[in-house]
Amino acid sequence: MTRILTLVLLFALLLSACGNQPAATSQTVQYPTQPINIMAPASPGGGWDSTARTMQAALAATTGQTVQVYNVSGAGGTIGLAQFVNEAKGKPHELMVGGLVMVGAIQTNKAPVNLSQVTPIALLTAEAEAIVVPADSKYQTLQALIADFKANPTAISWGGGSAGGTDHILVGLIAKAVGVAPNQVNYIAYSGGGEATAAILSGAVTAGASGVSEFAEQVAAGTMRMLAVSSEERIEGVNAPTLKEAGVDVALMNWRAVFGAPNLTAEQRAAVIATIEKMHASKEWQEALAKNGWRDFFRTGDEFSTFLQNEIKRIEGVLRDLGLVQ
């Protein structure tokens, strides 16, 4: 009887000890444990490249790991995306920068890969677009420009970057919002910002669209007039209303983001996100935002995934309306 009682007491003590243990949690992944590689799917010197190289410095400072950047250019980022999808599967130390331009390029180039095949990690930065006219234009306000656009859509020419790019998408969204069929938009694509600026200043096009920073020098010099910006709210230091304030219900930001490799586990994804969150909070990253004039647009994980799906749907719709995709 004594032996039975002893066994019962031991069993009770064992159960009590187990009950005092914390609940089982998912396995914590140590990260990073080796050098990090960041692909910039564009040529050196552009926006994605500068974003990747700013990440390089901030991540090196916050993780203590070596961080390398490499470039794979072509087709609006889709060549780099295809390489990333095919070669980085399951590798949490491989990252890729991308953005709104890639969303459009995937569709217009009929790319064999898309952003559903990589892991959304974080939105990083964003820049508003601007609608401008030359200083000697008769259009003093966006409302006046839109009135003529609605009356005779093809008589108003719009200049900007590549067909299907952010500038073209913005003009298509504006057309749709004011009741003009997007396939009536008279859009003239230029291969670089310098060409587009020259066309606007010379009056070769009625109006131009591009990032706010692209036109800042000309606006400050008084050779261009900024009629509106595409942000949700007015931009500090920029003397122009938002499109919404001017009666056009459109907002569009040219955003940049970082993606992880395909086929990451939930634990790996969480570890990468935590590392990027630490990078975002760092002195190095915050100083770079201020130095480069980048707007902080930080969103991670599921919030970024939802935003991305909404953007893909919206951009696909306007590109179809513009006649650029079937």
Side-chain angles (χ1 to χ4, degrees):
M1 183 69 179
T2 302
R3 183 180 178 186
I4 292 173
L5 182 60
T6 301
L7 289 172
V8 169
L9 288 171
L10 286 171
F11 185 64
L13 287 170
L14 180 62
L15 286 176
S16 176
C18 289
N20 290 330
Q21 295 299 312
T25 59
S26 59
Q27 183 179 1
T28 301
V29 174
Q30 296 299 313
Y31 181 88
T33 57
Q34 63 189 61
I36 297 171
N37 297 311
I38 306 174
M39 176 195 286
S43 301
W48 291 345
D49 179 70
S50 60
T51 300
R53 294 185 191 279
T54 302
M55 288 181 64
Q56 178 182 30
L59 281 172
T62 54
T63 67
Q65 283 287 350
T66 300
V67 182
Q68 297 179 332
V69 172
Y70 64 102
N71 298 82
V72 181
S73 63
T78 58
I79 292 175
L81 174 63
Q83 179 177 313
F84 191 72
V85 167
N86 292 324
E87 297 181 5
K89 288 186 177 74
K91 298 178 181 179
H93 293 84
E94 300 292 328
L95 301 175
M96 181 189 72
V97 170
L100 178 65
V101 172
M102 185 181 285
V103 173
I106 288 168
Q107 298 174 33
T108 56
N109 293 325
K110 298 180 180 179
V113 292
N114 59 64
L115 291 173
S116 71
Q117 294 170 268
V118 294
T119 304
I121 298 297
L123 276 168
L124 297 173
T125 63
E127 182 181 20
E129 293 271 298
I131 301 298
V132 299
V133 293
D136 60 0
S137 169
K138 70 175 183 178
Y139 297 111
Q140 299 292 320
T141 65
L142 184 72
Q143 289 92 332
L145 176 65
I146 294 300
D148 282 358
F149 181 48
K150 291 169 69 175
N152 189 357
T154 58
I156 302 296
S157 55
W158 305 80
S162 59
T166 308
D167 309 335
H168 198 178
I169 288 167
L170 176 63
V171 177
L173 289 170
I174 290 171
K176 202 170 180 178
V178 301
V180 171
N183 61 7
Q184 288 190 288
V185 168
N186 180 9
Y187 184 83
I188 301 172
Y190 295 92
S191 60
E195 288 185 12
T197 296
I200 297 162
L201 290 173
S202 69
V205 293
T206 311
S210 191
V212 170
S213 63
E214 288 285 332
F215 298 133
E217 185 177 332
Q218 288 76 24
V219 171
T223 58
M224 278 187 189
R225 182 181 306 116
M226 192 173 293
L227 300 183
V229 294
S230 67
S231 52
E232 288 281 359
E233 299 175 349
R234 285 208 178 205
I235 301 171
E236 185 177 351
V238 175
N239 185 24
T242 66
L243 288 167
K244 290 188 175 184
E245 283 181 293
V248 180
D249 190 17
V250 169
L252 181 73
M253 300 296 287
N254 187 8
W255 50 267
R256 294 172 187 150
V258 58
F259 298 88
N263 302 343
L264 296 186
T265 66
E267 293 77 18
Q268 288 173 328
R269 173 177 175 265
V272 177
I273 288 172
T275 298
I276 297 300
E277 287 175 337
K278 185 177 179 182
M279 178 205 79
H280 172 259
S282 71
K283 173 175 66 71
E284 290 78 7
W285 182 260
Q286 293 301 318
E287 287 178 351
L289 289 177
K291 178 182 177 182
N292 293 310
W294 292 344
R295 178 177 172 182
D296 196 355
F297 205 52
F298 197 64
R299 293 160 173 77
T300 63
D302 292 343
E303 186 179 4
F304 174 30
S305 296
T306 299
F307 172 90
L308 179 61
Q309 291 308 310
N310 289 337
E311 284 288 89
I312 290 170
K313 183 177 179 180
R314 179 166 73 144
I315 300 311
E316 181 179 4
V318 73
L319 291 176
R320 186 180 295 111
D321 291 338
L322 288 166
L324 296 175
V325 299
Q326 298 301 315

